[in-house]
Amino acid sequence: MGYLELTLSCNGYTLRLGKDKDGNHHALGVTKIEGLESSELEVSTTDNALADGTHVDGKRILKRPIHIEASFRSDRDNQQNRQKIIRFFNPKYTGLLTVSFNGITRKIDYELEGWTFVKTSVHGRLAFTVDLMCPNPYFRVWTILEKIWPRQTDS
């Protein structure tokens, strides 16, 4: 059975969302996520004056935007959970996002671009959206490298 677990770490605090590899659900569920697949690519070109087509001058991968929508699985302790979320999302600090998806763990540094609570009824489950910006668009892959190149032991 597949799983998706997101761990946001920032300024000594940790926020876990989704489901871990053992199938245990965290208090926060992921309802939508975008930006894990790839970043945008910018291709610089120059038109040829005397020939068909264009000349490719260069390519670069842009920053990676990641959009997360999440909600608490229960409506108990909404006020305490609201305060925890407010304390966690501090734009002054760089954070680390760890994504574990079906046995592969990847990590990426992020800056907080913005976040907000989703308007729900007073007694409904607390939900929020968060937008992260990753200046370095590349994930650091941990688990898959260990599977491809296992550590050598001295014999």
Side-chain angles (χ1 to χ4, degrees):
M1 177 157 66
Y3 71 95
L4 171 66
E5 179 179 35
L6 304 178
T7 304
L8 294 129
S9 303
C10 185
N11 193 31
Y13 295 104
T14 301
L15 191 63
R16 287 189 175 80
L17 301 91
K19 182 169 65 168
D20 68 17
K21 65 181 178 182
D22 297 323
N24 301 313
H25 292 271
H26 295 294
L28 278 164
V30 178
T31 56
K32 183 177 181 181
I33 187 158
E34 296 174 349
L36 295 183
E37 305 81 26
S38 64
S39 291
E40 291 187 31
L41 177 67
E42 181 179 273
V43 180
S44 302
T45 60
T46 306
D47 290 335
N48 294 321
L50 301 173
D52 294 339
T54 188
H55 174 72
V56 176
D57 299 323
K59 303 174 191 175
R60 71 184 187 114
I61 298 174
L62 303 177
K63 64 186 177 184
R64 179 185 297 266
I66 296 177
H67 174 80
I68 301 169
E69 296 179 14
S71 67
F72 281 89
R73 297 184 192 279
S74 169
D75 61 359
R76 292 184 317 213
D77 303 322
N78 269 355
Q79 288 306 316
Q80 292 92 338
N81 289 333
R82 178 181 293 276
Q83 293 309 310
K84 288 177 186 177
I85 297 298
I86 290 170
R87 276 193 307 272
F88 182 81
F89 289 119
N90 187 332
K92 300 267 184 190
Y93 300 101
T94 298
L96 176 69
L97 170 64
T98 303
V99 179
S100 297
F101 182 64
N102 294 337
I104 297 175
T105 300
R106 305 181 298 164
K107 298 183 179 204
I108 192 167
D109 294 321
Y110 71 84
E111 300 293 334
L112 180 65
E113 278 197 318
W115 71 275
T116 187
F117 287 109
V118 176
K119 293 182 181 178
T120 59
S121 68
V122 176
H123 301 292
R125 293 184 306 161
L126 191 61
F128 63 90
T129 63
V130 61
D131 290 302
L132 309 175
M133 184 273 296
C134 306
N136 179 349
Y138 298 106
F139 276 96
R140 298 183 302 276
V141 180
W142 294 91
T143 309
I144 194 160
L145 293 178
E146 186 67 25
K147 290 180 180 177
I148 294 172
W149 295 297
R151 291 186 182 137
Q152 300 297 320
T153 56
D154 295 332
S155 336

